[in-house]
Amino acid sequence: MIESPHLDGRAGIDAALVKRLIASQFPQWSALPVTPVEVDGWDNRTYRLGDEMTVRLPTAGGYAPAVEKEDRWLPVLAPSLPVAIPAPLAKGVPGEGYPFSWSIRRWLDGETASLDRIDDLPGFAASAAGFLLALQRADATGGPAAGAHSFYRGAPPARYDEQTRHSLAVLDGHIDTALASAVWDAALQAARSGPPVWFHGDFASGNLLVRDGKLAAVIDFGTSGVGDPACDLVIAWTLFSGESRETFRRAVGQDAATWARARGWALWKALITLAEDLGKDERRAAISRHVIGEVLAEHAGLRRRPE
């Protein structure tokens, strides 16, 4: 997921290192300028290479498996999807003191999605749903099953039960932990049916690019895989609300159990983030509180009516 801008040099990666890697492994591009992108991710550092390419380097060993996965599967998925996704052009190997494989991709035009850059939020919600449905329809044969490489996105949310319970204990007295526990329990009890399908794994506003107010591209498939798509529905509460949320819900479909697991995924992330930010970063804490409030309100409403 894309975060705030970071100073060059984070995780020991800077433009000078990228220049050396390019010069030693891809000398045909060594004359091109290397510049950090304006808004960078956490799992990877990304640099623009000339006008038409980017260089993407994992920041730690846990993120490194995504390089091979994305290089293998992005070209397979691309023809099935309604908007652009990253196109791998070359794969680098460890060198110049950098310990992981890395990749060069084609540059994708667009700005990070945000409410002020989207002209028609319900229309954008429909486009986002259309992308997810197309991804789910893509042939999953041989695709990477959800696991450590996806940080267990696409797997049952029970993987994060201990972490969630700990956050609930930390947040007792700050949120309605009884209702939050009920949401989490419902997610754990909502068994998945049907075959595994492709999921993105971090389908969030930071990984959606907008051009002329419309969805133009989806980036960062580092946590993608084949399994349960419930994790991709979290955007219903993190970006959409009111009419746009209802549009997304209708357009993307999914059964009640999938939505229950989706609420669990949204709650888990918001809980652990709020527990970490409480008393430290009030801006981020407010965002997490909002997501928690929206999820809890929806669950409370469902107890009074069928989904």
Side-chain angles (χ1 to χ4, degrees), residues 92-108:
V93 297
E96 304 296 324
Y98 178 73
F100 311 119
S101 294
W102 48 283
S103 60
I104 298 176
R105 283 97 178 274
R106 195 175 307 282
W107 173 261
L108 289 170

mmCIF file with all atom_site columns, all heavy atoms in Angstrom, residues 92-108:
data_model
loop_
_atom_site.group_PDB
_atom_site.id
_atom_site.type_symbol
_atom_site.label_atom_id
_atom_site.label_alt_id
_atom_site.label_comp_id
_atom_site.label_asym_id
_atom_site.label_entity_id
_atom_site.label_seq_id
_atom_site.pdbx_PDB_ins_code
_atom_site.Cartn_x
_atom_site.Cartn_y
_atom_site.Cartn_z
_atom_site.occupancy
_atom_site.B_iso_or_equiv
_atom_site.pdbx_formal_charge
_atom_site.auth_seq_id
_atom_site.auth_comp_id
_atom_site.auth_asym_id
_atom_site.auth_atom_id
_atom_site.pdbx_PDB_model_num
ATOM 1   N N   . GLY A 1 92  ? 16.106 -7.502  -12.021 1.00 0.00 ? 92  GLY A N   1
ATOM 2   C CA  . GLY A 1 92  ? 17.475 -7.397  -11.549 1.00 0.00 ? 92  GLY A CA  1
ATOM 3   C C   . GLY A 1 92  ? 17.766 -8.423  -10.476 1.00 0.00 ? 92  GLY A C   1
ATOM 4   O O   . GLY A 1 92  ? 16.862 -9.028  -9.891  1.00 0.00 ? 92  GLY A O   1
ATOM 5   N N   . VAL A 1 93  ? 19.042 -8.624  -10.192 1.00 0.00 ? 93  VAL A N   1
ATOM 6   C CA  . VAL A 1 93  ? 19.488 -9.583  -9.180  1.00 0.00 ? 93  VAL A CA  1
ATOM 7   C C   . VAL A 1 93  ? 20.249 -8.831  -8.095  1.00 0.00 ? 93  VAL A C   1
ATOM 8   O O   . VAL A 1 93  ? 20.615 -7.661  -8.263  1.00 0.00 ? 93  VAL A O   1
ATOM 9   C CB  . VAL A 1 93  ? 20.381 -10.665 -9.829  1.00 0.00 ? 93  VAL A CB  1
ATOM 10  C CG1 . VAL A 1 93  ? 19.594 -11.471 -10.851 1.00 0.00 ? 93  VAL A CG1 1
ATOM 11  C CG2 . VAL A 1 93  ? 21.625 -10.051 -10.466 1.00 0.00 ? 93  VAL A CG2 1
ATOM 12  N N   . PRO A 1 94  ? 20.502 -9.478  -6.953  1.00 0.00 ? 94  PRO A N   1
ATOM 13  C CA  . PRO A 1 94  ? 21.266 -8.802  -5.899  1.00 0.00 ? 94  PRO A CA  1
ATOM 14  C C   . PRO A 1 94  ? 22.611 -8.282  -6.419  1.00 0.00 ? 94  PRO A C   1
ATOM 15  O O   . PRO A 1 94  ? 23.260 -8.910  -7.269  1.00 0.00 ? 94  PRO A O   1
ATOM 16  C CB  . PRO A 1 94  ? 21.464 -9.901  -4.854  1.00 0.00 ? 94  PRO A CB  1
ATOM 17  C CG  . PRO A 1 94  ? 20.311 -10.828 -5.066  1.00 0.00 ? 94  PRO A CG  1
ATOM 18  C CD  . PRO A 1 94  ? 20.064 -10.826 -6.549  1.00 0.00 ? 94  PRO A CD  1
ATOM 19  N N   . GLY A 1 95  ? 23.006 -7.148  -5.913  1.00 0.00 ? 95  GLY A N   1
ATOM 20  C CA  . GLY A 1 95  ? 24.283 -6.579  -6.325  1.00 0.00 ? 95  GLY A CA  1
ATOM 21  C C   . GLY A 1 95  ? 24.507 -5.225  -5.693  1.00 0.00 ? 95  GLY A C   1
ATOM 22  O O   . GLY A 1 95  ? 23.583 -4.620  -5.135  1.00 0.00 ? 95  GLY A O   1
ATOM 23  N N   . GLU A 1 96  ? 25.739 -4.739  -5.750  1.00 0.00 ? 96  GLU A N   1
ATOM 24  C CA  . GLU A 1 96  ? 26.102 -3.420  -5.220  1.00 0.00 ? 96  GLU A CA  1
ATOM 25  C C   . GLU A 1 96  ? 25.737 -3.279  -3.739  1.00 0.00 ? 96  GLU A C   1
ATOM 26  O O   . GLU A 1 96  ? 25.403 -2.193  -3.269  1.00 0.00 ? 96  GLU A O   1
ATOM 27  C CB  . GLU A 1 96  ? 25.422 -2.307  -6.027  1.00 0.00 ? 96  GLU A CB  1
ATOM 28  C CG  . GLU A 1 96  ? 25.712 -2.339  -7.518  1.00 0.00 ? 96  GLU A CG  1
ATOM 29  C CD  . GLU A 1 96  ? 27.180 -2.116  -7.830  1.00 0.00 ? 96  GLU A CD  1
ATOM 30  O OE1 . GLU A 1 96  ? 27.817 -1.312  -7.124  1.00 0.00 ? 96  GLU A OE1 1
ATOM 31  O OE2 . GLU A 1 96  ? 27.692 -2.763  -8.774  1.00 0.00 ? 96  GLU A OE2 1
ATOM 32  N N   . GLY A 1 97  ? 25.739 -4.416  -3.020  1.00 0.00 ? 97  GLY A N   1
ATOM 33  C CA  . GLY A 1 97  ? 25.391 -4.401  -1.608  1.00 0.00 ? 97  GLY A CA  1
ATOM 34  C C   . GLY A 1 97  ? 23.912 -4.552  -1.333  1.00 0.00 ? 97  GLY A C   1
ATOM 35  O O   . GLY A 1 97  ? 23.509 -4.655  -0.168  1.00 0.00 ? 97  GLY A O   1
ATOM 36  N N   . TYR A 1 98  ? 23.097 -4.581  -2.393  1.00 0.00 ? 98  TYR A N   1
ATOM 37  C CA  . TYR A 1 98  ? 21.655 -4.757  -2.211  1.00 0.00 ? 98  TYR A CA  1
ATOM 38  C C   . TYR A 1 98  ? 21.349 -6.252  -2.293  1.00 0.00 ? 98  TYR A C   1
ATOM 39  O O   . TYR A 1 98  ? 21.746 -6.916  -3.263  1.00 0.00 ? 98  TYR A O   1
ATOM 40  C CB  . TYR A 1 98  ? 20.887 -3.982  -3.286  1.00 0.00 ? 98  TYR A CB  1
ATOM 41  C CG  . TYR A 1 98  ? 19.390 -4.154  -3.189  1.00 0.00 ? 98  TYR A CG  1
ATOM 42  C CD1 . TYR A 1 98  ? 18.674 -3.539  -2.174  1.00 0.00 ? 98  TYR A CD1 1
ATOM 43  C CD2 . TYR A 1 98  ? 18.707 -4.957  -4.103  1.00 0.00 ? 98  TYR A CD2 1
ATOM 44  C CE1 . TYR A 1 98  ? 17.311 -3.707  -2.070  1.00 0.00 ? 98  TYR A CE1 1
ATOM 45  C CE2 . TYR A 1 98  ? 17.338 -5.130  -4.006  1.00 0.00 ? 98  TYR A CE2 1
ATOM 46  C CZ  . TYR A 1 98  ? 16.641 -4.504  -2.986  1.00 0.00 ? 98  TYR A CZ  1
ATOM 47  O OH  . TYR A 1 98  ? 15.289 -4.679  -2.879  1.00 0.00 ? 98  TYR A OH  1
ATOM 48  N N   . PRO A 1 99  ? 20.603 -6.844  -1.314  1.00 0.00 ? 99  PRO A N   1
ATOM 49  C CA  . PRO A 1 99  ? 20.547 -8.309  -1.203  1.00 0.00 ? 99  PRO A CA  1
ATOM 50  C C   . PRO A 1 99  ? 19.404 -9.019  -1.911  1.00 0.00 ? 99  PRO A C   1
ATOM 51  O O   . PRO A 1 99  ? 19.338 -10.250 -1.860  1.00 0.00 ? 99  PRO A O   1
ATOM 52  C CB  . PRO A 1 99  ? 20.406 -8.513  0.312   1.00 0.00 ? 99  PRO A CB  1
ATOM 53  C CG  . PRO A 1 99  ? 19.632 -7.314  0.777   1.00 0.00 ? 99  PRO A CG  1
ATOM 54  C CD  . PRO A 1 99  ? 20.091 -6.175  -0.098  1.00 0.00 ? 99  PRO A CD  1
ATOM 55  N N   . PHE A 1 100 ? 18.477 -8.274  -2.562  1.00 0.00 ? 100 PHE A N   1
ATOM 56  C CA  . PHE A 1 100 ? 17.287 -8.923  -3.095  1.00 0.00 ? 100 PHE A CA  1
ATOM 57  C C   . PHE A 1 100 ? 17.167 -8.739  -4.612  1.00 0.00 ? 100 PHE A C   1
ATOM 58  O O   . PHE A 1 100 ? 17.772 -7.834  -5.195  1.00 0.00 ? 100 PHE A O   1
ATOM 59  C CB  . PHE A 1 100 ? 16.020 -8.347  -2.445  1.00 0.00 ? 100 PHE A CB  1
ATOM 60  C CG  . PHE A 1 100 ? 16.072 -8.284  -0.954  1.00 0.00 ? 100 PHE A CG  1
ATOM 61  C CD1 . PHE A 1 100 ? 15.964 -7.067  -0.283  1.00 0.00 ? 100 PHE A CD1 1
ATOM 62  C CD2 . PHE A 1 100 ? 16.248 -9.453  -0.206  1.00 0.00 ? 100 PHE A CD2 1
ATOM 63  C CE1 . PHE A 1 100 ? 16.010 -7.004  1.097   1.00 0.00 ? 100 PHE A CE1 1
ATOM 64  C CE2 . PHE A 1 100 ? 16.309 -9.391  1.185   1.00 0.00 ? 100 PHE A CE2 1
ATOM 65  C CZ  . PHE A 1 100 ? 16.192 -8.167  1.832   1.00 0.00 ? 100 PHE A CZ  1
ATOM 66  N N   . SER A 1 101 ? 16.338 -9.582  -5.229  1.00 0.00 ? 101 SER A N   1
ATOM 67  C CA  . SER A 1 101 ? 15.960 -9.340  -6.616  1.00 0.00 ? 101 SER A CA  1
ATOM 68  C C   . SER A 1 101 ? 15.082 -8.094  -6.678  1.00 0.00 ? 101 SER A C   1
ATOM 69  O O   . SER A 1 101 ? 14.426 -7.720  -5.693  1.00 0.00 ? 101 SER A O   1
ATOM 70  C CB  . SER A 1 101 ? 15.202 -10.545 -7.179  1.00 0.00 ? 101 SER A CB  1
ATOM 71  O OG  . SER A 1 101 ? 16.036 -11.680 -7.267  1.00 0.00 ? 101 SER A OG  1
ATOM 72  N N   . TRP A 1 102 ? 15.041 -7.450  -7.818  1.00 0.00 ? 102 TRP A N   1
ATOM 73  C CA  . TRP A 1 102 ? 14.281 -6.216  -7.989  1.00 0.00 ? 102 TRP A CA  1
ATOM 74  C C   . TRP A 1 102 ? 13.771 -6.175  -9.425  1.00 0.00 ? 102 TRP A C   1
ATOM 75  O O   . TRP A 1 102 ? 14.115 -7.038  -10.233 1.00 0.00 ? 102 TRP A O   1
ATOM 76  C CB  . TRP A 1 102 ? 15.144 -4.986  -7.667  1.00 0.00 ? 102 TRP A CB  1
ATOM 77  C CG  . TRP A 1 102 ? 16.491 -5.006  -8.322  1.00 0.00 ? 102 TRP A CG  1
ATOM 78  C CD1 . TRP A 1 102 ? 17.585 -5.740  -7.953  1.00 0.00 ? 102 TRP A CD1 1
ATOM 79  C CD2 . TRP A 1 102 ? 16.889 -4.271  -9.487  1.00 0.00 ? 102 TRP A CD2 1
ATOM 80  N NE1 . TRP A 1 102 ? 18.648 -5.514  -8.806  1.00 0.00 ? 102 TRP A NE1 1
ATOM 81  C CE2 . TRP A 1 102 ? 18.251 -4.616  -9.757  1.00 0.00 ? 102 TRP A CE2 1
ATOM 82  C CE3 . TRP A 1 102 ? 16.260 -3.350  -10.314 1.00 0.00 ? 102 TRP A CE3 1
ATOM 83  C CZ2 . TRP A 1 102 ? 18.965 -4.069  -10.825 1.00 0.00 ? 102 TRP A CZ2 1
ATOM 84  C CZ3 . TRP A 1 102 ? 16.965 -2.800  -11.378 1.00 0.00 ? 102 TRP A CZ3 1
ATOM 85  C CH2 . TRP A 1 102 ? 18.301 -3.165  -11.616 1.00 0.00 ? 102 TRP A CH2 1
ATOM 86  N N   . SER A 1 103 ? 12.928 -5.217  -9.736  1.00 0.00 ? 103 SER A N   1
ATOM 87  C CA  . SER A 1 103 ? 12.301 -5.260  -11.057 1.00 0.00 ? 103 SER A CA  1
ATOM 88  C C   . SER A 1 103 ? 12.217 -3.879  -11.696 1.00 0.00 ? 103 SER A C   1
ATOM 89  O O   . SER A 1 103 ? 12.237 -2.851  -11.009 1.00 0.00 ? 103 SER A O   1
ATOM 90  C CB  . SER A 1 103 ? 10.901 -5.867  -10.962 1.00 0.00 ? 103 SER A CB  1
ATOM 91  O OG  . SER A 1 103 ? 10.077 -5.105  -10.111 1.00 0.00 ? 103 SER A OG  1
ATOM 92  N N   . ILE A 1 104 ? 12.119 -3.906  -13.010 1.00 0.00 ? 104 ILE A N   1
ATOM 93  C CA  . ILE A 1 104 ? 11.896 -2.700  -13.806 1.00 0.00 ? 104 ILE A CA  1
ATOM 94  C C   . ILE A 1 104 ? 10.558 -2.882  -14.507 1.00 0.00 ? 104 ILE A C   1
ATOM 95  O O   . ILE A 1 104 ? 10.297 -3.932  -15.105 1.00 0.00 ? 104 ILE A O   1
ATOM 96  C CB  . ILE A 1 104 ? 13.027 -2.487  -14.832 1.00 0.00 ? 104 ILE A CB  1
ATOM 97  C CG1 . ILE A 1 104 ? 14.362 -2.299  -14.103 1.00 0.00 ? 104 ILE A CG1 1
ATOM 98  C CG2 . ILE A 1 104 ? 12.727 -1.284  -15.729 1.00 0.00 ? 104 ILE A CG2 1
ATOM 99  C CD1 . ILE A 1 104 ? 15.560 -2.188  -15.024 1.00 0.00 ? 104 ILE A CD1 1
ATOM 100 N N   . ARG A 1 105 ? 9.698  -1.872  -14.392 1.00 0.00 ? 105 ARG A N   1
ATOM 101 C CA  . ARG A 1 105 ? 8.368  -1.935  -14.991 1.00 0.00 ? 105 ARG A CA  1
ATOM 102 C C   . ARG A 1 105 ? 8.123  -0.723  -15.866 1.00 0.00 ? 105 ARG A C   1
ATOM 103 O O   . ARG A 1 105 ? 8.825  0.279   -15.787 1.00 0.00 ? 105 ARG A O   1
ATOM 104 C CB  . ARG A 1 105 ? 7.287  -1.938  -13.893 1.00 0.00 ? 105 ARG A CB  1
ATOM 105 C CG  . ARG A 1 105 ? 7.123  -3.268  -13.184 1.00 0.00 ? 105 ARG A CG  1
ATOM 106 C CD  . ARG A 1 105 ? 7.882  -3.306  -11.885 1.00 0.00 ? 105 ARG A CD  1
ATOM 107 N NE  . ARG A 1 105 ? 7.678  -4.563  -11.178 1.00 0.00 ? 105 ARG A NE  1
ATOM 108 C CZ  . ARG A 1 105 ? 6.657  -4.786  -10.361 1.00 0.00 ? 105 ARG A CZ  1
ATOM 109 N NH1 . ARG A 1 105 ? 5.760  -3.856  -10.138 1.00 0.00 ? 105 ARG A NH1 1
ATOM 110 N NH2 . ARG A 1 105 ? 6.543  -5.958  -9.762  1.00 0.00 ? 105 ARG A NH2 1
ATOM 111 N N   . ARG A 1 106 ? 7.089  -0.836  -16.670 1.00 0.00 ? 106 ARG A N   1
ATOM 112 C CA  . ARG A 1 106 ? 6.668  0.299   -17.481 1.00 0.00 ? 106 ARG A CA  1
ATOM 113 C C   . ARG A 1 106 ? 5.974  1.336   -16.591 1.00 0.00 ? 106 ARG A C   1
ATOM 114 O O   . ARG A 1 106 ? 5.221  0.982   -15.687 1.00 0.00 ? 106 ARG A O   1
ATOM 115 C CB  . ARG A 1 106 ? 5.713  -0.166  -18.588 1.00 0.00 ? 106 ARG A CB  1
ATOM 116 C CG  . ARG A 1 106 ? 5.494  0.861   -19.693 1.00 0.00 ? 106 ARG A CG  1
ATOM 117 C CD  . ARG A 1 106 ? 4.642  0.288   -20.807 1.00 0.00 ? 106 ARG A CD  1
ATOM 118 N NE  . ARG A 1 106 ? 5.151  -0.979  -21.322 1.00 0.00 ? 106 ARG A NE  1
ATOM 119 C CZ  . ARG A 1 106 ? 6.164  -1.077  -22.156 1.00 0.00 ? 106 ARG A CZ  1
ATOM 120 N NH1 . ARG A 1 106 ? 6.819  0.009   -22.555 1.00 0.00 ? 106 ARG A NH1 1
ATOM 121 N NH2 . ARG A 1 106 ? 6.565  -2.264  -22.593 1.00 0.00 ? 106 ARG A NH2 1
ATOM 122 N N   . TRP A 1 107 ? 6.253  2.609   -16.827 1.00 0.00 ? 107 TRP A N   1
ATOM 123 C CA  . TRP A 1 107 ? 5.626  3.696   -16.077 1.00 0.00 ? 107 TRP A CA  1
ATOM 124 C C   . TRP A 1 107 ? 4.133  3.764   -16.395 1.00 0.00 ? 107 TRP A C   1
ATOM 125 O O   . TRP A 1 107 ? 3.714  3.634   -17.544 1.00 0.00 ? 107 TRP A O   1
ATOM 126 C CB  . TRP A 1 107 ? 6.293  5.022   -16.425 1.00 0.00 ? 107 TRP A CB  1
ATOM 127 C CG  . TRP A 1 107 ? 5.609  6.217   -15.831 1.00 0.00 ? 107 TRP A CG  1
ATOM 128 C CD1 . TRP A 1 107 ? 4.733  7.069   -16.438 1.00 0.00 ? 107 TRP A CD1 1
ATOM 129 C CD2 . TRP A 1 107 ? 5.747  6.687   -14.488 1.00 0.00 ? 107 TRP A CD2 1
ATOM 130 N NE1 . TRP A 1 107 ? 4.317  8.037   -15.569 1.00 0.00 ? 107 TRP A NE1 1
ATOM 131 C CE2 . TRP A 1 107 ? 4.921  7.829   -14.354 1.00 0.00 ? 107 TRP A CE2 1
ATOM 132 C CE3 . TRP A 1 107 ? 6.484  6.258   -13.381 1.00 0.00 ? 107 TRP A CE3 1
ATOM 133 C CZ2 . TRP A 1 107 ? 4.812  8.544   -13.160 1.00 0.00 ? 107 TRP A CZ2 1
ATOM 134 C CZ3 . TRP A 1 107 ? 6.384  6.971   -12.190 1.00 0.00 ? 107 TRP A CZ3 1
ATOM 135 C CH2 . TRP A 1 107 ? 5.554  8.100   -12.101 1.00 0.00 ? 107 TRP A CH2 1
ATOM 136 N N   . LEU A 1 108 ? 3.314  3.950   -15.356 1.00 0.00 ? 108 LEU A N   1
ATOM 137 C CA  . LEU A 1 108 ? 1.875  4.101   -15.528 1.00 0.00 ? 108 LEU A CA  1
ATOM 138 C C   . LEU A 1 108 ? 1.486  5.527   -15.155 1.00 0.00 ? 108 LEU A C   1
ATOM 139 O O   . LEU A 1 108 ? 1.759  5.978   -14.034 1.00 0.00 ? 108 LEU A O   1
ATOM 140 C CB  . LEU A 1 108 ? 1.118  3.111   -14.637 1.00 0.00 ? 108 LEU A CB  1
ATOM 141 C CG  . LEU A 1 108 ? 1.191  1.639   -15.061 1.00 0.00 ? 108 LEU A CG  1
ATOM 142 C CD1 . LEU A 1 108 ? 0.601  0.755   -13.967 1.00 0.00 ? 108 LEU A CD1 1
ATOM 143 C CD2 . LEU A 1 108 ? 0.465  1.425   -16.372 1.00 0.00 ? 108 LEU A CD2 1
#
